[in-house]
Structure formats: C-alpha cells, structure tokens
Amino acid sequence: FAKDKTLPTVQVSIGEEHFGRRIIDPAAETEFAKMLQECGFKLVDEMSTNRAEVTITGHAFSGYGMQKGNLVSCKSRVELKVRNRNGNILAVDRQTSAAVDITEQTAAKTALHNAAGELAERIIPKLGR
C-alpha cells in the first residue's frame, strides 16, 4: 500500500460503549490503529509531540444479542469521521457487525473489531497522497 504514496500522521480516537455489562478497552480504536500502522502510517496521540495531519474520530457501541446454549451473540456499530488538519471532512462512514463467543464481553469486542476492520479497509486507501 505505502510504496508509492506519502502517508500522513494519523490520530485515532473512537469512544466506545457496551449496553449491558461494562467492557473496558477500545476494541474499535485498537483495530483501526493496528491496521493503519501495518500499512505504514505514523500514529500519534494526545501524548505525542507531533500533531496529526489527519484525525479519525467516532463513536462505537455494542449490545447483547441473544444466547443459545453456551454461545452469546453481540452486535456493534462503529461511526467515523475523518478530518484533515484544517478541519475539512475527508470521509464519513459507518459499519455494523455481529459476533458470537462464549462470553458477552468477547463477543462484543469481536463485533467492534470486525466493524472497525471493515471500515479501515474502505477508509485507509483514501488517506494516502
């Protein structure tokens, strides 16, 4: 991906909420940042001395779906907005996903991870110059 493109520094900030039991750690933000880093982007955050050229912000939520035997399903939705340093909106997108696991927490985080991954596949190609 990065061979013939100039890649901007990027900051990712995606708030998350799970309706039901409390779940910590930002699964959507982590997945999106991981994919950016694997594509060669330099990541920054609020602790960095450099300022991001592109910011990806958004909100994600997940919720309990149903249980069948030992399996629990959860559904998620991730909504993102991509802006350049001047505040201009470069992209807006959203994605829903579902996942099944033996725990509600893992199913919820996997659903968020999957939705963020699908969004990253669509948004990352738009970020290179």
Side-chain angles (χ1 to χ4, degrees):
F1 173 81
K3 291 183 175 121
D4 60 343
K5 295 187 177 194
T6 302
L7 303 178
T9 55
V10 181
Q11 181 173 355
V12 181
S13 179
I14 304 170
E16 284 183 20
E17 183 175 2
H18 178 71
F19 300 108
R21 296 180 183 164
R22 185 166 187 258
I23 299 174
I24 57 172
D25 298 324
E29 182 177 313
T30 300
E31 178 62 15
F32 209 101
K34 178 182 180 291
M35 291 183 76
L36 284 164
Q37 196 169 47
E38 288 176 353
C39 288
F41 288 85
K42 182 178 178 183
L43 300 176
V44 297
D45 64 13
E46 61 280 344
M47 300 289 288
S48 302
T49 56
N50 294 341
R51 193 169 155 222
E53 295 171 271
V54 172
T55 57
I56 299 171
T57 58
H59 189 73
F61 66 87
S62 58
Y64 173 83
M66 64 174 278
Q67 183 168 350
K68 183 151 181 131
N70 290 336
L71 298 176
V72 177
S73 70
C74 286
K75 191 153 186 179
S76 71
R77 181 173 174 94
V78 179
E79 299 172 348
L80 299 178
K81 191 176 288 183
V82 182
R83 293 180 186 268
N84 66 13
R85 189 178 280 174
N86 297 328
N88 297 324
I89 297 172
L90 304 176
V92 175
D93 207 344
R94 77 281 183 250
Q95 182 68 45
T96 59
S97 185
V100 176
D101 202 282
I102 60 172
T103 68
E104 180 180 345
Q105 293 85 350
T106 307
K109 290 179 78 62
T110 301
L112 289 163
H113 162 105
N114 292 343
E118 291 179 46
L119 280 168
E121 288 179 11
R122 293 197 300 266
I123 289 177
I124 288 174
K126 298 176 182 179
L127 299 179
R129 295 177 252 145

